[in-house]
Amino acid sequence: MRALDRLQTIVDTRIDGRAVAITRVIIGIAALLQMIDTAAILSAVLDDTKMQLPYIAQLPVVSANWLPLYLLLWCVVAVLFTIGWRTWLSGAALSLILSYSLVVDQQSYSNHVYLLTLIVVLLTLAHGGGRFSVDARLGRAQETIPAWPIVLLKWQMSIVYFFAAVSKINITYISGGILAINMREGWAFPLPDAWLRWELMMPLAIVSILTEMFLALAFWSPRYRYSAIFIGIAFHVVIALTFPMRTGFPLAIFGIMMFATYLQFINIDVVKAKFLRPYHHPIESRTTVK
Amino acid sequence: MNPARRLTKSATKICFVLFLSVQLTIATAALFEPRPARWGWQMYSGVKTRAAFTIVRANGDREDVVLTDYLGQPRGDIDLIGRLPGYICKVEPDAVTIEINPPGDEAMTEVRCAR
């Protein structure tokens, strides 16, 4: 099929909105958690006794006095997005709020906020509030949604894993040094010093690269998809538990975001049929004799 | 198909291709930057060694700069060489010179505070 025909099909197709709605809820919760992490960063960055490094000189900077209001707005909009109230509006507003935190200062850049912003934009474009939402309750339900933003969301997930893996192919990372520095101070499971040797850290670094590359590709194969979900969840849980708290919390949020995107590769009806079959009692019928 | 719908479909196709193109282009370009580069999904892929700064005061005292005294979140991927010396000169009235020791083999340079 020619690429243009394939593109036309993607643009014309509509898909079941349930998985996207569940993703919307999870991402809304992730946005709330991210607010906590970003609050600490912006409090430090926007301190007017410190140097500021704006990306865009003309962009108004939220002062430390107005920061609580900005964060409250973030919180309110994230809740509205989560519950699916006026999702077009709350999603657009959340996207703008997240984008602002990315560009207000060079010091506040975060890969996780960048990804969160892109996901919120795509979910908003996909009419993510059409199911399991206040919008649906109030008569604005949409059984099906446009497929093209979700195709982009799936591609975005693969792009993140792919470039995360490829960028790690360098001597510094493969030596295991970066993992050793971080895992020595793991908040839940700090590695003992005896383990922080290149003989252990280098293979671990290589495994992490291979895992990310696997996750970039495996979701597109029905054969490996469910293995990828399991491995992806385990990968992000291990990272969140073995890194220091200051990075473990944002990494946990990152894991939640990636898990939310995994749902787009799942057919909910297949999962229901496979894992939620009604329980059949071995004695099919009884008769009661008085 | 009515013209408005046709236009919408065309715009959607353009946005789709643009989104993917931008994501792939930026991330690929970032692979040619020192690690970790921004906007390229290079989480934990490397460590950037920062330049070190020293304040030389009017009374001759030398003091190594602690970045968190002047920056809220001194990320390793921010180039401070062009901006930090001028800021320190502004906030430290008795600073005469700011010495900059770049990472690697580059020679030390100085910025004189204009008074």
Side-chain angles (χ1 to χ4, degrees), chain A residues 15-38:
Chain A
I15 56 173
D16 188 312
R18 287 175 293 174
V20 172
I22 296 170
T23 298
R24 185 203 78 242
V25 172
I26 297 172
I27 292 299
I29 294 170
L32 281 166
L33 294 172
Q34 186 61 52
M35 193 249 339
I36 299 169
D37 186 54
T38 303

Side-chain angles (χ1 to χ4, degrees), chain A residues 6 45 90 94 176 218 255:
Chain A
R6 181 81 181 123
V45 168
S90 55
L94 185 57

